[in-house]
Amino acid sequence: MTQRPTTTREASAIAKKQLAIRDLHWPKAEPYLWDRKAHKGFTTIPKTMPMILKIMDEMTKGAPVSSTYLNLWCNTWDNSFVTLNRNGEMANASGFGGQRGEHTWLTRVKKLQELCFIDVKAGKSGPFGNAIIWNPHLVIRWHKDQGTPGLTSASFNALLEQALDIGAQDMIGESLPDFANLSQEVSRTEGAEQ
């Protein structure tokens, strides 16, 4: 396995090299490209996101959750928190339209919560008003330890190799919380002081 850069300096050197190659092949493309530093409305995602989404859908055969998860992720402000106050819009962006769109979307949100990829709390929008998104690498490692059905060794190993290849150290080593009980451990309890 090729070792990828893990330092800022190495990553910067690779980015400059890639930019030079891109400009060699597409010298006039700059005005037509998405630049997160110049345009509003971006989010940060792990480079492993496609494999994470594939694993989620394998774990929920017949009821894919990946589009719902990606939509939730894209509605954060890089703080792993989402206010669920535009359910119709979020359902539509997740691919669920029509009369049952919101209902289908909500079942996918519940499934993501059951699988511990997110946690949901009541808010001004109702019982599913706010969501927190846990680190998906840690959640998938936890599922591997739990022997969760649908998580195949082939997909887990592919994710692990990809993560290590890009220097994502959270796929190894760290002790894992019990995601089934994490919400209770990190949540404010009713009537507790802040």
Side-chain angles (χ1 to χ4, degrees):
M1 182 179 350
T2 305
Q3 188 70 343
R4 291 283 176 104
T6 56
T7 68
T8 304
R9 186 172 153 203
E10 289 172 320
S12 177
I14 287 179
K16 286 179 185 175
K17 180 180 175 184
Q18 288 180 338
L19 184 59
I21 293 170
R22 184 197 76 192
D23 289 345
L24 173 70
H25 295 294
W26 296 278
K28 298 177 184 175
E30 184 81 29
Y32 311 106
L33 304 176
W34 180 262
D35 180 351
R36 70 178 183 89
K37 296 174 186 165
H39 299 95
K40 292 183 179 183
F42 69 90
T43 191
T44 305
I45 64 170
K47 289 186 175 195
T48 56
M49 186 64 86
M51 184 57 70
I52 291 166
L53 298 175
K54 175 183 182 283
I55 287 171
M56 288 178 170
D57 285 346
E58 289 173 349
M59 293 172 68
T60 59
K61 284 206 186 309
V65 295
S66 59
S67 63
T68 300
Y69 184 80
L70 184 59
N71 184 259
L72 292 173
W73 192 288
C74 289
N75 277 280
T76 71
W77 291 93
D78 279 346
N79 59 7
S80 300
F81 172 78
V82 187
T83 302
L84 305 176
N85 60 355
R86 300 179 337 268
N87 293 359
E89 182 182 322
M90 294 177 87
N92 185 51
S94 299
F96 308 114
Q99 291 180 330
R100 298 193 44 81
E102 282 188 53
H103 173 76
T104 303
W105 176 80
L106 189 57
T107 63
R108 300 309 199 270
V109 170
K110 290 176 182 177
K111 190 65 177 174
L112 286 166
Q113 183 180 24
E114 288 169 17
L115 288 170
C116 303
F117 284 102
I118 66 171
D119 189 39
V120 178
K121 297 287 185 189
K124 67 181 181 180
S125 299
F128 282 76
N130 302 293
I132 191 165
I133 300 173
W134 305 123
N135 179 334
H137 288 164
L138 300 181
V139 175
I140 291 171
R141 283 181 51 210
W142 177 78
H143 280 294
K144 179 70 172 168
D145 289 352
Q146 299 297 308
T148 302
L151 177 56
T152 66
S153 292
S155 291
F156 179 82
N157 290 340
L159 173 64
L160 179 59
E161 289 176 23
Q162 183 184 19
L164 294 175
D165 200 33
I166 62 171
Q169 297 300 310
D170 55 350
M171 279 300 293
I172 57 171
E174 297 178 26
S175 62
L176 296 171
D178 176 9
F179 278 98
N181 296 308
L182 184 61
S183 177
Q184 295 167 342
E185 293 174 22
V186 299
S187 296
R188 182 180 65 86
T189 56
E190 293 300 315
E193 290 183 27
Q194 298 206 12

